[in-house]
Amino acid sequence: MKLISIVVPCYNEEEVLPLFYEEIQKIMNQMKEEHSELAFELVFIDDGSRDKTLTLLREMALKDERVRYISFSRNFGKEAGMFAGLENAKGDYVVVMDADLQHPPAFLPKMYNFVKDGEYDCATTRRVSRKGESKIRSAFARLFYKIMNKISQTEIVDGAQDFRFMSRQMVNAILDMQEYNRFSKGIFSWVGFKTKYIEYENVERAAGATSWSFWGLFRYSLEGIIAFSTAPLMIACILGIIACLAGLVLLILWIVQAVHGDASRAQTGLMCALFLLGGLQMLCTGISAQYLAKAYMESKHRPIYLMRENEEIYRARHQAEAQES
Ligand code: UDP
Ligand code: MG
């Protein structure tokens, strides 16, 4: 028997969760018919949802023993959700996918075919279009990938997604990366292993709304750059050197002007240098501070997520309640 764990981070997904469950069941049955050796488990992560997501998961866990879930004590973010899922998945293969059907379950049989013989360790999809996404968002996304791939040794494929079908070996490698500031697109690429990219057109969310704001995505991309590149530190140094050289030139100019008795020009020159150097200094300190802040957070060794309830706890409680009455 081979177990496939399907990890699904969910944040306020009450609208789409029943649709997802229906779709994934169809695919699981279809795959089981084709490959009798397969077994499945669904590992849902309730990332501190404020709607009925947890209630739905509880119902599903009672009816279907393949359903497992972990409910967080608050919203920890999708990265923490994926980590919790990978950590708790028992499968020989682990799938990570979104609940909103933007990662079509129909791809799973194809992905399994790539991974099952061991030729690939991971199969994933790659969007070739960003249909249905706002123009500004697409433009910024493209810019991000361009900058990222220029300044980081870790290659981040444009359009690559968190929809992954992975071997146990690769999952263990990812779990070995215990960093607190997680940027999965970088982590998937950093661990290496053989990855098959399946290209497809973007699919829009089946129901509900995205929880990513523009500002949220912007912060997430900065996170990515800082987590996987130290180039900004280098930029800070180079800017510093340029500013110092400019200062030296200004100094020489000032000496020349002083010799000629032209004092007023020197004043402007000084003001200019003052602003320039002050600004650069702040910029460089700011960049260093960003890294320091990340190092500070890492040094606390905080848990990546905290669990409040899972399917075992709930099933036991449900049983106890049933016995009492
Ligand atoms: N998600 C999560 N925690 C969060 C935000 C999102 O677990 O804090 C989940 C969400 O439920 C969905 C997936 O991450 O299954 C992708 O989120 P979304 O569809 O909002 O992002 P987008 O597809 O727009 O990038
Ligand atoms: Mg989505």
Side-chain angles (χ1 to χ4, degrees):
M1 279 305 236
K2 277 183 183 169
L3 181 67
I4 298 183
S5 305
I6 300 175
V7 169
V8 191
C10 306
Y11 179 54
N12 296 341
E13 298 288 9
E14 63 175 9
E15 272 180 69
V16 87
L17 206 53
L19 296 175
F20 174 82
Y21 185 50
E22 205 175 291
E23 285 294 308
I24 201 77
Q25 264 178 318
K26 272 188 222 157
I27 294 295
M28 291 193 301
N29 293 341
Q30 182 197 324
M31 285 177 80
K32 219 171 152 46
E33 258 169 43
E34 279 168 33
H35 311 272
S36 54
E37 77 275 13
L38 289 183
F40 290 90
E41 68 170 3
L42 290 165
V43 186
F44 291 98
I45 315 298
D46 163 39
D47 186 10
S49 299
R50 288 163 199 275
D51 63 357
K52 294 204 201 76
T53 301
L54 180 58
T55 320
L56 290 173
L57 291 177
R58 284 173 175 162
E59 281 167 14
M60 277 152 60
L62 282 187
K63 274 189 281 181
D64 185 345
E65 56 173 29
R66 291 171 305 182
V67 173
R68 298 174 55 207
Y69 70 83
I70 296 157
S71 178
F72 287 177
S73 60
R74 62 169 170 84
N75 180 251
F76 278 87
K78 185 185 173 187
E79 289 290 341
M82 287 197 285
F83 181 81
L86 293 180
E87 197 174 54
N88 287 278
K90 297 175 184 151
D92 304 295
Y93 300 99
V94 183
V95 179
V96 182
M97 66 196 295
D98 288 0
D100 58 10
L101 294 172
Q102 276 189 305
H103 297 164
F107 275 103
L108 292 180
K110 206 171 173 185
M111 290 171 135
Y112 177 62
N113 283 336
F114 280 115
V115 177
K116 73 173 194 297
D117 303 322
E119 202 201 328
Y120 289 99
D121 306 283
C122 172
T124 184
T125 53
R126 199 182 141 240
R127 291 197 280 199
V128 284
S129 81
R130 290 181 167 269
K131 207 177 66 188
E133 209 180 60
S134 84
K135 284 231 167 66
I136 306 178
R137 193 168 155 171
S138 300
F140 271 94
R142 292 236 166 72
L143 182 72
F144 165 72
Y145 286 109
K146 234 185 223 151
I147 296 178
M148 191 70 199
N149 285 321
K150 273 252 159 63
I151 64 176
S152 169
Q153 266 89 9
T154 311
E155 198 206 346
I156 313 244
V157 177
D158 186 359
Q161 293 174 306
D162 299 338
F163 183 14
R164 304 255 162 180
F165 198 119
M166 291 176 281
S167 66
R168 173 47 53 187
Q169 212 185 353
M170 180 161 171
V171 171
N172 287 346
I174 291 170
L175 289 173
D176 279 341
M177 296 179 80
Q178 288 276 337
E179 57 208 76
Y180 180 78
N181 295 290
R182 300 185 77 78
F183 181 71
S184 279
K185 285 192 170 73
I187 291 176
F188 287 139
S189 163
W190 192 89
V191 295
F193 293 93
K194 282 201 76 152
T195 302
K196 171 75 192 171
Y197 289 95
I198 304 169
E199 300 196 343
Y200 89 119
E201 294 272 323
N202 193 26
V203 185
E204 281 179 56
R205 203 174 225 291
T210 174
S211 39
W212 287 99
S213 63
F214 183 79
W215 185 234
L217 272 178
F218 181 72
R219 275 209 320 254
Y220 184 62
S221 47
L222 279 189
E223 193 100 328
I225 290 175
I226 291 174
F228 281 89
S229 163
T230 45
L233 285 175
M234 187 50 102
I235 296 171
C237 294
I238 292 170
L239 282 178
I241 293 169
I242 293 173
C244 286
L245 287 178
L248 267 181
V249 171
L250 277 170
L251 185 70
I252 294 167
L253 196 73
W254 182 74
I255 294 171
V256 172
Q257 283 176 334
V259 169
H260 287 270
D262 183 358
S264 67
R265 276 221 224 138
Q267 258 175 8
T268 8
L270 269 175
M271 283 302 281
C272 176
L274 209 69
F275 275 96
L276 208 73
L277 284 177
L280 278 174
Q281 243 169 18
M282 266 198 274
L283 177 72
C284 297
T285 336
I287 294 174
S288 323
Q290 286 301 314
Y291 283 88
L292 190 69
K294 294 294 168 195
Y296 172 64
M297 289 310 286
E298 294 292 347
S299 73
K300 285 177 189 278
H301 295 293
R302 281 189 180 157
I304 295 166
Y305 67 93
L306 291 172
M307 184 182 86
R308 198 179 139 254
E309 178 186 315
N310 67 3
E311 86 287 348
E312 273 174 30
I313 296 174
Y314 181 67
R315 280 180 191 144
R317 198 166 76 204
H318 186 80
Q319 220 169 16
E321 275 167 17
Q323 271 166 3
E324 256 172 46
S325 57

